[in-house]
Amino acid sequence: MKRHPALIPLSRDHKKGLMLAQLLKKNAPEYKGLPTDPIGKMNYAKELYKNELDRHFREEEEFVFPYLKGRSKYIDELVTEILSEHKILKSSILSLDDDDSLMDNMDKIGHLLESHIRKEERNLFETIPQVLSEEELKILKQKFDQTRPSKNSCKTK
């Protein structure tokens, strides 16, 4: 389904998140330009969290979720699940350590991150345009436009 323009920045983040999820899983294929060894993958996951995922989670929590609160029991439960997963993912990624359980821990994170992103894309993001007004969606889009550089401003192709 075509994503509402207000949600496109988050969906773009999800593409990178899905790549991380695949990278962290056991028996992951090699991805050009990404680490192949466990320590490299661990460090990459921590850096990606600090540089991108943390901002992504905060933007969902500060920009999107306040508009959704109280719209329906389903949405409230979904947002509660997602918030819990944000905390688990943050804690799990930042506590990764070079020990005997590193590969198992990264595999669990990879599966949880993939499931989390799919839940947001297939459930939450499909529901948002149905419950928010066009004015509310426009405000969300403006918030992302203000906090993120435009992806279209430097196209060379």
Side-chain angles (χ1 to χ4, degrees), residues 17 20-21 53 89 108-118:
L20 175 62
L53 286 176
L89 285 162
K108 288 176 189 170
I109 293 167
H111 286 281
L112 176 59
L113 182 58
E114 179 182 24
S115 172
H116 173 79
I117 291 169
R118 301 280 186 220

Side-chain angles (χ1 to χ4, degrees), residues 13-32 34-38 40-42 44-45 48 53 89 93 102-118 122:
D13 292 348
H14 286 162
K15 289 180 183 178
K16 190 173 271 190
L18 287 172
M19 180 63 74
L20 175 62
Q22 296 308 318
L23 181 74
L24 294 177
K25 291 178 184 177
K26 288 182 181 175
N27 303 315
E30 290 188 16
Y31 293 100
K32 186 177 180 180
L34 295 179
T36 57
D37 63 294
K41 290 179 181 186
M42 174 187 76
Y44 179 78
L48 190 67
L53 286 176
L89 285 162
I93 291 170
L102 177 60
M103 293 296 294
D104 288 334
N105 290 338
M106 287 194 301
D107 187 62
K108 288 176 189 170
I109 293 167
H111 286 281
L112 176 59
L113 182 58
E114 179 182 24
S115 172
H116 173 79
I117 291 169
R118 301 280 186 220
R122 293 176 181 162

Side-chain angles (χ1 to χ4, degrees), residues 15-102:
K15 289 180 183 178
K16 190 173 271 190
L18 287 172
M19 180 63 74
L20 175 62
Q22 296 308 318
L23 181 74
L24 294 177
K25 291 178 184 177
K26 288 182 181 175
N27 303 315
E30 290 188 16
Y31 293 100
K32 186 177 180 180
L34 295 179
T36 57
D37 63 294
I39 302 300
K41 290 179 181 186
M42 174 187 76
N43 291 331
Y44 179 78
K46 288 181 176 186
E47 282 302 308
L48 190 67
Y49 180 83
K50 290 175 187 173
N51 295 328
E52 297 185 34
L53 286 176
D54 184 53
R55 180 200 71 210
H56 174 89
F57 289 171
R58 275 195 330 269
E59 287 177 342
E60 287 178 338
E61 293 167 11
E62 294 173 12
F63 295 173
V64 180
F65 296 169
Y67 282 104
L68 299 175
K69 188 174 182 177
R71 300 288 178 134
S72 76
K73 183 178 178 182
Y74 169 74
I75 291 175
D76 287 347
E77 289 172 355
L78 192 56
V79 168
T80 298
E81 282 178 38
I82 289 169
L83 285 168
S84 175
E85 291 168 2
H86 283 181
K87 291 175 186 170
I88 293 167
L89 285 162
K90 176 182 181 175
S91 173
S92 298
I93 291 170
L94 295 179
S95 67
L96 282 171
D97 198 16
D98 180 19
D99 57 26
D100 291 339
S101 62
L102 177 60

